[in-house]
Amino acid sequence: MIDTDTLCSLQAVDVLSALQRVFRLLGRKLFDPSFVAMLLMLLWLVKAIQHRNQTSLRTVPGPFLAPFTRLFPIVNIFTGTHFQRYLSWHERYGPIVRTGPRSVSVSDPDAMRQIYGSHAFRKTRMYDTFQLLGNNVFGTRDPAFHRTRKRLIAPVYNQTTLNRVEGLIWRSGVQTLMDKLEGVARSGRVANLFREFMYMTFDVTGETVFGRSFGLTKEGSHPILQWMADFSRMSMLRVLLPLLYRVQLPWLFGRLYESEKKLYAFTKTALEQRKLVASPRRDALQQLIEATDDETGARLTDDEMIPEMLVQMVAGTDTTSITLSWCVHLLLQYPDAYRRLRAEIDAALPERDMPIAYAAVSKLPFLDAVLHETLRLFPPVSDGLPRQVPKSGATVGGHHLPPGTTVFCSAYALHRSSALWDRPNDFVPDRWLVSSEQIADMKRAFIPFSFGPRACLGRNLAWMELKLTISALVRRFDIKHEQGGCMDPIYKFMLTPKDHRVDVRLYPRS
Ligand code: HEM
């Protein structure tokens, strides 16, 4: 007979030896890569399911895989088509969609206002990419810093400065570009307006913010383009690998560091040279140098001004030039709209050779409608601008979102929502030729410049550049589309034509 104690000890021996076998097997298996991968997958799955069920985000509709993976944003970076994906998800799942384990997209005017209408939902860590050699009004995530800095630099962006730089924009930007295009037209060559518009907006920023044009339109090159591209790359790498803020790897990123240094030196020199001028002109640079906080009397140091100068280049060049490119593309696609625009501009500007005053074109209804419709269909900043749900959590679109959730509203999805717009994918400038009440209503779902306290500070400058350039181009040339280059939109930091080309033939008008 075996007594209970013996039985127990026998069972204990069994369990022990079974465990020993499992550990032996595990020990061997732990060196087997496919076993390790399987184990990691299992752990990830358990964690993902746990997270999916615990969080209140489980009630937010969305694609099946979204709660389990952060891969979508990474895939998006490579494909550049996420603006279309967000739109199709919203069409399928409604105005609020879960796009990742901790991220949610909204496409509803009220939810959009809730997110961007105050400082409660702060910018996410992604904005550290815009720490352009220092904290600045665009990149900061801190509402207190933002309020103080915005108050201080407000004159840089106000109407008085705008009136003062109008002549500079015309001479160093629009007029110079028109003269160049005249030469291209007379030689019978094809003009790539995408590149020409980019050069023009850089030259305008050079003139107004750095004290002199970069000469890109005339010369076709300036190292600033390379420095800026390298600088953006380095900033992005630092956000992905924060260690790079503290560690320098010159053997790996030598050229990027070099560009950063050159950009700093170039900007600093522009500042110092301006300070030596006895009676300086009153442009954006001068406003920045003289900016004084009304409440505290504080002024900006050079190291605080440099990032603010770079912001204007980063935020104000490609955004404007890409909008111009899409506008020309749409006019060529819709000849009737092009004819109507030309008739309006010819009537408003009968003197073909005179400079165009902004006052003469700023209120032309059809020009205004064409540009609004361009920005509706192709908002250059159409990626959702990510914000973080505050510590208290928030109820957005009827769903409780836990603190820390990333939430955003893609302008592309909002602007093309079939629930909000009639014929959402068609170019219909006439939709803007309605009463001011109807326009105000449409603008609730129109955010090319974002909304709220972090909305675009340069939008009046942008409107000036857009209206002056399109009216000058249409007044001076007949424009014909030239085959070549793909105009499909792709997201490469902004919503751009895929091949970065808008090839046209220009015919000077008699
Ligand atoms: C068509 C042209 C433009 C478009 C579509 C545009 C769009 C935008 C958008 C969507 C934002 C919000 C970004 C975010 O929250 O992440 C923004 C912010 C900003 N933009 Fe623009 N922008 C344009 C032109 C300009 C110009 C010409 C300037 C200045 C020279 C400028 C300066 C700024 C600044 C300083 C901010 C940061 C505002 C803040 O955080 O307080 N932008 N812009």
Side-chain angles (χ1 to χ4, degrees):
M1 280 276 297
I2 302 176
D3 59 29
T4 322
D5 283 353
T6 321
L7 195 65
C8 284
S9 59
L10 272 181
Q11 277 171 349
V13 169
D14 272 0
V15 171
L16 210 66
S17 66
L19 273 175
Q20 271 171 345
R21 255 178 288 140
V22 169
F23 281 125
R24 258 204 308 276
L25 195 70
L26 260 179
R28 269 206 308 273
K29 285 278 184 190
L30 275 178
F31 294 101
D32 178 348
S34 54
F35 177 75
V36 174
M38 221 175 65
L39 205 67
L40 287 176
M41 283 280 284
L42 202 70
L43 280 174
W44 165 78
L45 199 68
V46 170
K47 217 172 150 262
I49 292 174
Q50 219 180 17
H51 180 70
R52 183 186 190 279
N53 293 332
Q54 272 169 2
T55 165
S56 58
L57 289 177
R58 69 181 175 279
T59 62
V60 181
F64 174 75
L65 279 179
F68 300 111
T69 175
R70 290 170 208 270
L71 273 181
F72 284 122
I74 296 167
V75 173
N76 289 340
I77 291 172
F78 289 105
T79 60
T81 54
H82 49 305
F83 58 98
Q84 281 157 343
R85 192 165 307 128
Y86 292 146
L87 173 62
S88 68
W89 283 348
H90 279 294
E91 293 293 307
R92 185 160 171 200
Y93 300 107
I96 178 159
V97 173
R98 186 168 182 187
T99 57
R102 287 166 199 272
S103 65
V104 163
S105 168
V106 300
S107 174
D108 164 75
D110 291 332
M112 180 280 288
R113 280 166 176 258
Q114 182 185 358
I115 295 164
Y116 298 109
S118 74
H119 281 293
F121 292 68
R122 293 188 186 196
K123 287 189 168 182
T124 62
R125 213 173 64 81
M126 186 278 279
Y127 283 89
D128 291 352
T129 329
F130 296 97
Q131 292 287 325
L132 306 163
L133 301 177
N135 210 357
N136 60 74
V137 75
F138 190 112
T140 183
R141 295 191 270 140
D142 175 4
F145 178 93
H146 182 260
R147 273 191 213 101
T148 317
R149 183 54 63 87
K150 191 170 162 179
R151 198 171 60 225
L152 190 62
I153 63 166
V156 176
Y157 296 97
N158 71 15
Q159 193 59 42
T160 319
T161 309
L162 206 60
N163 295 340
R164 285 179 181 147
V165 297
E166 182 184 336
L168 294 178
I169 294 177
W170 176 260
R171 281 191 303 281
S172 76
V174 187
Q175 176 81 67
T176 309
L177 173 62
M178 293 306 131
D179 290 349
K180 176 178 183 182
L181 293 179
E182 180 92 27
V184 175
R186 299 220 176 271
S187 72
R189 281 177 288 137
V190 170
N192 175 8
L193 288 183
F194 181 90
R195 190 185 53 209
E196 299 303 342
F197 289 147
M198 182 183 73
Y199 286 176
M200 185 197 78
T201 52
F202 265 88
D203 284 346
V204 165
T205 307
E207 191 73 60
T208 58
V209 183
F210 289 76
R212 82 167 70 112
S213 164
F214 298 124
L216 277 160
T217 304
K218 280 190 183 151
E219 311 298 332
S221 73
H222 189 286
I224 193 88
L225 294 182
Q226 187 61 51
W227 298 338
M228 284 305 292
D230 287 347
F231 182 53
S232 305
R233 250 171 240 137
M234 198 63 234
S235 307
M236 212 170 318
L237 280 168
R238 287 195 179 114
V239 171
L240 293 174
L241 293 171
L243 191 70
L244 293 178
Y245 281 111
R246 276 175 281 135
V247 181
Q248 294 257 329
L249 301 175
W251 45 275
L252 196 56
F253 302 122
R255 200 191 72 197
L256 305 192
Y257 294 136
E258 202 52 35
S259 291
E260 203 167 70
K261 273 195 213 134
K262 286 182 177 156
L263 191 63
Y264 176 83
F266 181 81
T267 315
K268 178 118 176 140
T269 307
L271 256 179
E272 283 167 353
Q273 284 181 345
R274 172 56 67 87
K275 285 182 182 170
L276 296 175
V277 178
S279 37
R281 66 182 190 204
R282 321 285 314 158
D283 53 12
L285 176 56
Q286 198 57 33
Q287 293 295 352
L288 202 58
I289 292 172
E290 292 175 12
T292 311
D293 191 318
D294 287 344
E295 288 180 19
T296 62
R299 305 273 295 263
L300 293 169
T301 64
D302 283 8
D303 281 348
E304 287 168 332
M305 273 187 263
I306 287 169
E308 298 299 346
M309 290 165 76
L310 294 175
V311 156
Q312 294 187 56
M313 190 144 61
V314 169
T317 49
D318 289 351
T319 42
T320 311
S321 68
I322 288 168
T323 306
L324 288 167
S325 286
W326 285 122
C327 182
V328 170
H329 167 69
L330 286 165
L331 288 174
L332 296 175
Q333 298 291 304
Y334 293 82
D336 188 44
Y338 182 17
R339 263 193 301 276
R340 285 172 66 190
L341 181 64
R342 189 165 44 196
E344 184 182 69
I345 287 169
D346 286 352
L349 306 167
E351 300 282 345
R352 289 262 170 87
D353 299 326
M354 295 294 284
I356 300 177
Y358 186 49
V361 292
S362 63
K363 297 214 162 54
L364 292 182
F366 201 66
L367 175 61
D368 196 63
V370 161
L371 284 166
H372 271 83
E373 194 62 351
T374 302
L375 283 164
R376 184 185 70 80
L377 284 174
F378 296 109
V381 190
S382 50
D383 215 359
L385 313 169
R387 301 291 188 262
Q388 235 175 16
V389 172
K391 283 200 180 97
S392 51
T395 301
V396 177
H399 294 271
H400 179 75
L401 309 184
T405 307
T406 299
V407 60
F408 58 89
C409 176
S410 149
Y412 188 89
L414 191 71
H415 291 181
R416 291 186 183 233
S417 161
S418 61
L420 300 167
W421 300 88
D422 186 32
R423 296 170 59 198
N425 294 314
D426 291 345
F427 180 65
V428 189
D430 281 301
R431 75 170 85 240
W432 296 97
L433 299 176
V434 289
S435 72
S436 47
E437 290 78 30
Q438 284 167 304
I439 290 182
D441 196 42
M442 281 195 292
K443 283 194 174 170
R444 284 176 53 74
F446 181 70
I447 51 163
F449 298 103
S450 188
F451 177 78
R454 304 304 299 265
C456 180
L457 283 174
R459 55 188 178 276
N460 292 332
L461 177 61
W463 279 115
M464 184 182 268
E465 284 188 64
L466 294 173
K467 288 187 174 177
L468 285 176
T469 311
I470 292 297
S471 35
L473 190 71
V474 167
R475 178 177 73 161
R476 185 119 162 213
F477 301 102
D478 280 326
I479 315 165
K480 298 265 178 326
H481 191 241
E482 176 73 15
Q483 287 309 322
C486 176
M487 287 298 296
D488 287 347
I490 188 160
Y491 209 88
K492 280 189 191 162
F493 304 110
M494 275 174 213
L495 192 66
T496 70
K498 202 168 193 168
D499 287 348
H500 286 184
R501 304 192 68 81
V502 181
D503 287 337
V504 297
R505 279 193 193 277
L506 299 167
Y507 302 91
R509 294 177 68 199
S510 48

